[in-house]
């Protein structure tokens, strides 16, 4: 089986990764999805990829587990979180939240991550990428999820991720192009822009590295994404991987992605946490998986991204 086909299988089954939006901390009680008005996003910049073809349901927002989610995103945006100029290192990260390509965990895997990166002097840009359509009605959406988790719904037929995720890859490419176009204004080095993704966002991050053509991330962060083996480009960027061993989606699927990077003699760091489940993101938890961000920051520092380039 071709490795790109295998990655496409996982992307085709990406709806199952919706658990990254649903698998909140074990102690969370407010698990009900509550519709809310779209939050103010005055800094969000509309990307030039256009509306999702054939989309009928309109973008909507809800809260769950004390976090904020968007779904039925039909127009992609990019929201900058810029560091204090006195601390800016020139490095930047495109942040891709997860949600099974049906919703986006905007705060836990987007805004909160971006704020933490900006605090380290790294410019961060949250990518609200276009999503697969879901029922506009919240109750109907909940029923769709229940059916999906019951096993009654089968994932789409496997396809190569370059086609399966074509709209999302286009959004990621547009995000990189925009940051490079405004690099001077945002005090960003166009050669030091990486990408960090969570679950489905990690799938998109890897697809962008493999099929994103001119995107060319300088480094990659894969947080609880699938770890199927891939064909690693000769110039593959440094890769940081974090996963919990008890992740119900990807904890028992092997570590082929890490093995692929090592076999290609490309830089890779892998953190396998004993506990944490799926979707831990920036949620405060008692498990050591909560330390993934500090580990990622130290890794960025090791590669020179926490200081200005000389």
């Amino acid at each position: 089986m071709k490795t790109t086909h295998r990655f496409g299988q996982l992307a085709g089954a990406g709806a199952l990764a919706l658990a990254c939006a649903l698998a909140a901390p074990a102690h969370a009680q407010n698990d009900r999805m509550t519709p809310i008005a779209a939050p103010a996003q005055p800094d969000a910049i509309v990307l030039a990829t256009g509306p999702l073809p054939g989309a009928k349901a309109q973008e909507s927002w809800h809260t769950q587990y004390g976090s904020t989610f968007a779904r039925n995103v039909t127009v992609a945006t990019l929201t900058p979180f810029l560091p204090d100029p006195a601390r800016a290192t020139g490095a930047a990260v495109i942040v891709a939240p997860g949600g099974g390509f049906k919703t986006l965990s905007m705060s836990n895997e987007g805004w909160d991550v971006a704020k933490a990166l900006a605090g380290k002097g790294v410019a961060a840009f949250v990518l609200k990428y276009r999503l697969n359509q879901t029922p506009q009605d919240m109750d109907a959406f909940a029923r769709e999820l229940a059916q999906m988790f019951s096993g009654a719904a089968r994932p789409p037929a496997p396809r190569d991720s370059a086609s399966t995720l074509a709209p999302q890859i286009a959004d990621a490419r547009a995000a990189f192009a925009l940051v490079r176009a405004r690099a001077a204004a945002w005090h960003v080095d166009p050669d030091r822009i990486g990408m960090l993704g969570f679950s489905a966002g990690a799938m998109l991050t890897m697809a962008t590295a493999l099929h994103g053509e001119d995107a060319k991330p300088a480094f990659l962060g894969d947080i609880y994404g699938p770890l199927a083996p891939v064909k690693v480009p000769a110039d593959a960027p440094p890769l940081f991987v974090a996963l919990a061993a008890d992740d119900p989606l990807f904890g028992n699927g092997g570590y082929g992605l890490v093995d692929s990077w090592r076999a290609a003699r490309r830089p890779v760091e892998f953190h396998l946490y004993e506990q944490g489940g799926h979707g831990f993101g920036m949620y405060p938890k008692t498990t050591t998986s909560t330390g993934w961000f500090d580990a990622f920051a130290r890794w960025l520092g090791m590669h020179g991204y926490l200081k200005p380039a000389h």
Side-chain angles (χ1 to χ4, degrees), residues 186-209:
W186 285 334
H187 305 289
V188 166
D189 183 337
D191 295 325
R192 303 175 78 210
I193 307 170
M195 189 167 182
L196 170 65
F198 300 80
S199 194
M203 295 182 192
L204 175 56
T205 295
M206 189 55 56
T208 300

Side-chain angles (χ1 to χ4, degrees), residues 2-310:
K2 294 182 178 179
T3 55
T4 54
H5 178 74
R6 174 59 178 157
F7 186 80
Q9 274 191 308
L10 289 165
L16 296 179
L18 184 60
C20 81
L22 302 180
H27 62 270
Q29 299 297 319
N30 52 339
D31 60 349
R32 181 176 179 80
M33 291 183 288
T34 303
I36 60 171
Q41 302 167 79
D43 297 327
I45 302 168
V46 174
L47 295 175
T49 48
L52 186 71
K56 296 181 180 179
Q58 298 301 306
E59 181 175 307
S60 61
W61 292 70
H62 65 274
T63 58
Q64 188 180 27
Y65 305 119
S67 191
T68 305
F69 298 85
R71 62 188 183 93
N72 290 327
V73 174
T74 61
V75 175
T77 67
L78 192 70
T79 301
F81 289 78
L82 302 178
D84 181 333
R87 295 196 62 186
T89 70
V93 181
I94 307 294
V95 180
F101 303 106
K102 289 195 172 191
T103 187
L104 291 175
S105 180
M106 292 299 296
S107 44
N108 180 49
E109 297 172 351
W111 302 328
D112 293 347
V113 176
K115 292 173 186 175
L117 286 166
K120 297 289 185 180
V122 177
F125 301 86
V126 177
L127 176 60
K128 188 177 74 175
Y129 51 88
R130 291 172 292 173
L131 297 174
N132 298 332
Q133 293 265 283
T134 60
Q136 190 78 60
D137 177 73
M138 181 63 75
D139 290 339
F141 175 54
R143 288 194 296 271
E144 180 180 280
L145 295 186
Q147 182 184 33
M148 182 176 69
F149 286 115
S150 74
R154 294 182 180 274
R159 292 180 291 166
D160 178 73
S161 61
S163 57
T164 304
L165 302 181
Q168 293 80 17
I169 294 173
D171 294 342
R173 290 180 63 192
F176 275 92
L178 176 63
V179 175
R180 289 189 174 116
R182 300 194 185 185
W186 285 334
H187 305 289
V188 166
D189 183 337
D191 295 325
R192 303 175 78 210
I193 307 170
M195 189 167 182
L196 170 65
F198 300 80
S199 194
M203 295 182 192
L204 175 56
T205 295
M206 189 55 56
T208 300
L210 297 177
H211 308 297
E213 301 178 14
D214 53 352
K216 297 188 179 303
F219 54 88
L220 305 171
D222 183 314
I223 312 302
Y224 45 79
L227 300 184
V230 299
K231 183 177 180 180
V232 179
D235 59 349
L239 170 65
F240 178 94
V241 178
L243 180 72
D246 62 351
D247 186 312
L249 297 181
F250 307 126
N252 296 309
Y255 314 118
L257 179 66
V258 176
D259 294 338
S260 296
W261 238 257
R262 285 173 53 82
R265 299 184 182 277
R266 300 306 299 156
V268 57
E269 179 156 332
F270 180 31
H271 292 256
L272 181 65
Y273 295 100
E274 178 187 339
Q275 298 177 36
H278 191 79
F280 45 83
M282 300 297 281
Y283 285 126
K285 299 184 72 173
T286 58
T287 59
T288 55
S289 61
T290 302
W292 78 266
F293 180 81
D294 289 338
F296 180 66
R298 288 195 298 272
W299 180 79
L300 289 178
M302 183 178 69
H303 283 278
Y305 290 112
L306 297 187
K307 294 182 179 179
H310 297 293

